[in-house]
Amino acid sequence: MLNKLNLRKLILLLCMFSVAITLLNALYSVYRVQRALILNNTMESNWVYAEKMASMTDTFINSAMSQLNFSANNLRDKMGNIQALDREVDRLRLQTNSFNSVVIVDTESTIIAISPETLAMKGVVLTQEPARQSLNARAPLITDPFVSPSGNYITSISHPIYAETGDYLGYISGTLYLDKANILNTILGKHSYRDGSYMYVVDRNGTIIFHPDERRIGQVIKNNAAITAVINGEDGYAEIINSQGIDMLAGYAPVNNSRWGVVVQKPKSNALESLDKQMYDVMLEGLPLGLVTLLLIWGFSVFITRPLRQLANAVTHVENYQSTVSNLTRINAWYFEVKHLRRSFLNAFSIVSNTIDKLHSDTLTDAMTGLLNRRGLDKAIEQFREQNRPFSLLALDIDHFKRVNDTFGHDVGDELIINVGKKMTVQARTQDIVCRSGGEEFVIFLANTDSVQAFDVAERIRRSIEVFDFETVGRVTISIGVSYWQGQTESVHEAIKHADNALYEAKRKGRNRTEMHASQ
């Protein structure tokens, strides 16, 4: 299978793969962007609507509290007039249709007036603690939901009644029947549910007081991030998992006057259901152009690879040098790469027979460090001598290396040599030649560098190793000897000997230092 592959097929496969990857990446990017946009827009829309509904609910509560305040002021000197109390509760209930019922309770917890009278609750004494929330508060209050004596699940908005003297006389309260039609249904029930979204309201304890599914009213919701945030007075939007384990896109806003929270949410799956169809349509629209693109790629791949295929055929058999050269010269090298490849092959064939054996036999690098070995060092010396190029020479040695081997073992010692070699290579310049001359000893050739500059380079290398924490060993130091070779007037080996002498002088003077040859 692999033997049948050629450059044309490889280019064709590569281009097809590239086109496929590009298309998939484009589709995926579009999908991700559209998905994020849909989710973000849906949550922002829910948030805006939740704020609008919360504001409307705030307005209703302000209005209701204002009505109750007006009634409380009117009744401060009429608490003993039963007819006046009955007229006031009827007026308040019928005036705006804000409340399902209106009651007046005295300080003895007795209902002394109620509208509508069909509830037949006049004279009933409130004994249950939830029903006595308004009486105990003695201040304007929106109660937590509770079951009234008549058996209705309600929340009430109440206002205290105080006499001119400041004595507490009781309270007047408007109630909302949470499990029946009420003003909240009228205000909040206009939300459209055709797209799967819906809205609900919770009180300060996380109890649902309005929900399109009346069976949910009265449930206390736990472990819902949106509800937790909104009853803490926060507004915003988030992806959440609701109490039924469904991924939701929720927007929420608090009703400030009551510590209620409005949550508008939509199932995440509903929001994304149109996205799959959009992506399918995009793929269908792009398919014809993709096929045309692949045909063009196939045609161009044949045209482009023909010279390269001819080049490959020409160099398949290189035993006949003249024939190969002739075949190469006949190739129509009409673009840059083929032209230069042909030229390179022609040049290579002229020298390959003389150099191939030498390339195989020369092993110039140290197997452990990757630096030039002794043979590489000799070739570097030969190169400098032939070019008569002056250089400075650094002879380097790791201080107390035997102690490292004795303390940590030879494996750690070898690792230290490798790491020191790497540090030297990093500190050296591109044109410098770094060699491992043997054991823990190194040599660095600094081309066209005088002795002063070489001393600075040596110090930089020495300091970089002195402050570095090597693994296992910790910090080590090196000693360096510096010499200079100015040209053919002096033997290169003499310069190396001078560097070694300077290195021994650095060792003698206490190590971790750089010494220059005395004649420098």
Side-chain angles (χ1 to χ4, degrees), residues 3-203:
N3 292 332
K4 295 180 180 180
L5 286 176
N6 54 44
L7 185 60
R8 180 176 60 82
K9 292 178 181 178
L10 287 174
I11 290 179
L12 184 60
L13 288 173
L14 178 61
C15 290
M16 292 176 64
F17 178 75
S18 299
V19 169
I21 289 296
T22 301
L23 289 175
L24 289 175
N25 183 61
L27 288 172
Y28 180 73
S29 299
V30 170
Y31 176 82
R32 294 290 297 177
V33 170
Q34 287 295 321
R35 184 178 185 275
L37 187 62
I38 289 172
L39 296 180
N40 195 63
N41 286 347
T42 301
M43 289 188 290
E44 283 192 352
S45 176
N46 289 343
W47 176 33
V48 170
Y49 197 86
E51 286 190 318
K52 177 182 177 182
M53 293 296 101
S55 177
M56 292 176 64
T57 305
D58 257 335
T59 300
F60 158 69
I61 291 173
N62 286 336
S63 174
M65 197 63 76
S66 178
Q67 294 175 55
L68 292 169
N69 180 47
F70 180 81
S71 295
N73 289 331
N74 283 342
L75 296 175
R76 63 175 53 186
D77 55 356
K78 300 175 184 177
M79 289 295 284
N81 187 337
I82 299 301
Q83 291 180 342
L85 298 179
D86 289 339
R87 284 196 301 272
E88 184 60 24
V89 293
D90 283 336
R91 181 196 68 78
L92 185 58
R93 182 177 66 86
L94 298 174
Q95 176 177 279
T96 60
N97 200 31
S98 296
F99 308 111
N100 293 96
S101 64
V102 178
V103 299
I104 299 175
V105 179
D106 63 14
T107 55
E108 302 300 323
S109 302
T110 302
I111 298 176
I112 58 177
I114 186 168
S115 177
E117 291 187 355
T118 53
L119 295 175
M121 297 297 296
K122 186 180 291 188
V124 172
V125 178
L126 304 178
T127 58
Q128 299 296 324
E129 194 61 32
R132 294 168 57 87
Q133 295 176 67
S134 298
L135 188 69
N136 296 334
R138 299 194 176 193
L141 179 69
I142 300 172
T143 67
D144 296 332
F146 65 94
V147 178
S148 70
S150 62
N152 292 308
Y153 187 60
I154 69 171
T155 186
S156 69
I157 305 173
S158 61
H159 198 284
I161 303 172
Y162 284 96
E164 292 285 353
T165 59
D167 294 331
Y168 179 60
L169 304 177
Y171 67 89
I172 182 169
S173 169
T175 63
L176 303 177
Y177 293 172
L178 300 177
D179 54 355
K180 297 180 181 178
N182 59 61
I183 191 66
L184 281 181
N185 297 110
T186 303
I187 295 174
L188 305 176
K190 298 177 182 178
H191 187 74
S192 174
Y193 310 115
R194 288 178 299 176
D195 62 354
S197 61
Y198 61 93
M199 176 177 59
Y200 60 91
V201 181
V202 294
D203 71 357

Side-chain angles (χ1 to χ4, degrees), residues 153-451:
Y153 187 60
I154 69 171
T155 186
S156 69
I157 305 173
S158 61
H159 198 284
I161 303 172
Y162 284 96
E164 292 285 353
T165 59
D167 294 331
Y168 179 60
L169 304 177
Y171 67 89
I172 182 169
S173 169
T175 63
L176 303 177
Y177 293 172
L178 300 177
D179 54 355
K180 297 180 181 178
N182 59 61
I183 191 66
L184 281 181
N185 297 110
T186 303
I187 295 174
L188 305 176
K190 298 177 182 178
H191 187 74
S192 174
Y193 310 115
R194 288 178 299 176
D195 62 354
S197 61
Y198 61 93
M199 176 177 59
Y200 60 91
V201 181
V202 294
D203 71 357
R204 60 177 183 159
N205 299 313
T207 302
I208 296 178
I209 60 174
F210 170 80
H211 198 286
D213 183 356
E214 294 181 357
R215 294 171 299 180
R216 302 290 305 278
I217 294 173
Q219 292 183 7
V220 179
I221 306 301
K222 303 292 185 182
N223 300 322
N224 185 306
I227 292 178
T228 300
V230 78
I231 63 179
N232 286 329
E234 302 174 18
D235 68 323
Y237 57 86
E239 291 188 40
I240 66 168
I241 298 177
N242 71 3
S243 58
Q244 297 179 329
I246 301 173
D247 287 339
M248 289 289 183
L249 307 176
Y252 47 88
V255 181
N256 297 318
N257 290 332
S258 61
R259 292 187 63 190
W260 293 351
V262 177
V263 180
V264 180
Q265 60 187 25
K266 180 178 182 178
K268 187 175 179 180
S269 58
N270 287 29
L272 296 175
E273 64 184 4
S274 64
L275 184 58
D276 292 337
K277 185 178 184 305
Q278 291 178 13
M279 298 308 300
Y280 179 75
D281 292 341
V282 169
M283 290 181 63
L284 287 182
E285 290 290 331
L287 186 59
L289 181 60
L291 292 175
V292 171
T293 302
L294 289 176
L295 287 175
L296 289 174
I297 289 172
W298 180 82
F300 279 112
S301 69
V302 172
F303 182 64
I304 291 171
T305 58
R306 181 179 292 114
L308 289 171
R309 187 173 68 253
Q310 293 172 344
L311 188 64
N313 290 334
V315 298
T316 300
H317 303 288
V318 295
E319 292 84 359
N320 189 331
Y321 173 75
Q322 294 299 329
S323 175
T324 302
V325 171
S326 176
N327 291 334
L328 286 171
T329 55
R330 287 200 300 268
I331 294 174
N332 180 22
W334 59 271
Y335 56 92
F336 178 84
E337 286 78 8
V338 174
K339 184 181 296 184
H340 281 265
L341 278 173
R342 185 181 65 177
R343 183 185 304 158
S344 297
F345 278 125
L346 290 172
N347 292 336
F349 282 134
S350 66
I351 61 174
V352 67
S353 60
N354 298 323
T355 60
I356 191 66
D357 291 336
K358 188 175 181 181
L359 289 174
H360 281 295
S361 62
D362 283 348
T363 305
L364 304 179
T365 57
D366 174 54
M368 187 170 74
T369 62
L371 304 176
L372 291 179
N373 57 15
R374 291 292 303 186
R375 182 175 294 173
L377 187 150
D378 291 338
K379 285 191 172 293
I381 293 172
E382 181 181 346
Q383 183 179 2
F384 279 113
R385 184 187 295 112
E386 289 175 353
Q387 297 176 356
N388 198 27
R389 214 167 24 140
F391 63 87
S392 287
L393 183 70
L394 308 183
L396 308 93
D397 184 85
I398 302 174
D399 296 329
H400 302 296
F401 182 74
K402 184 177 183 300
R403 186 185 304 168
V404 172
N405 276 339
D406 293 342
T407 304
F408 302 100
H410 288 279
D411 289 341
V412 173
D414 290 346
E415 190 66 24
L416 177 61
I417 290 173
I418 293 170
N419 289 326
V420 169
K422 289 179 180 178
K423 293 292 290 181
M424 291 178 181
T425 303
V426 169
Q427 293 296 323
R429 301 166 303 180
T430 305
Q431 68 269 28
D432 297 336
I433 299 174
V434 183
C435 309
R436 181 190 177 199
S437 56
E440 72 276 20
E441 299 173 355
F442 301 85
V443 174
I444 301 179
F445 292 90
L446 308 176
N448 300 318
T449 304
D450 61 30
S451 57

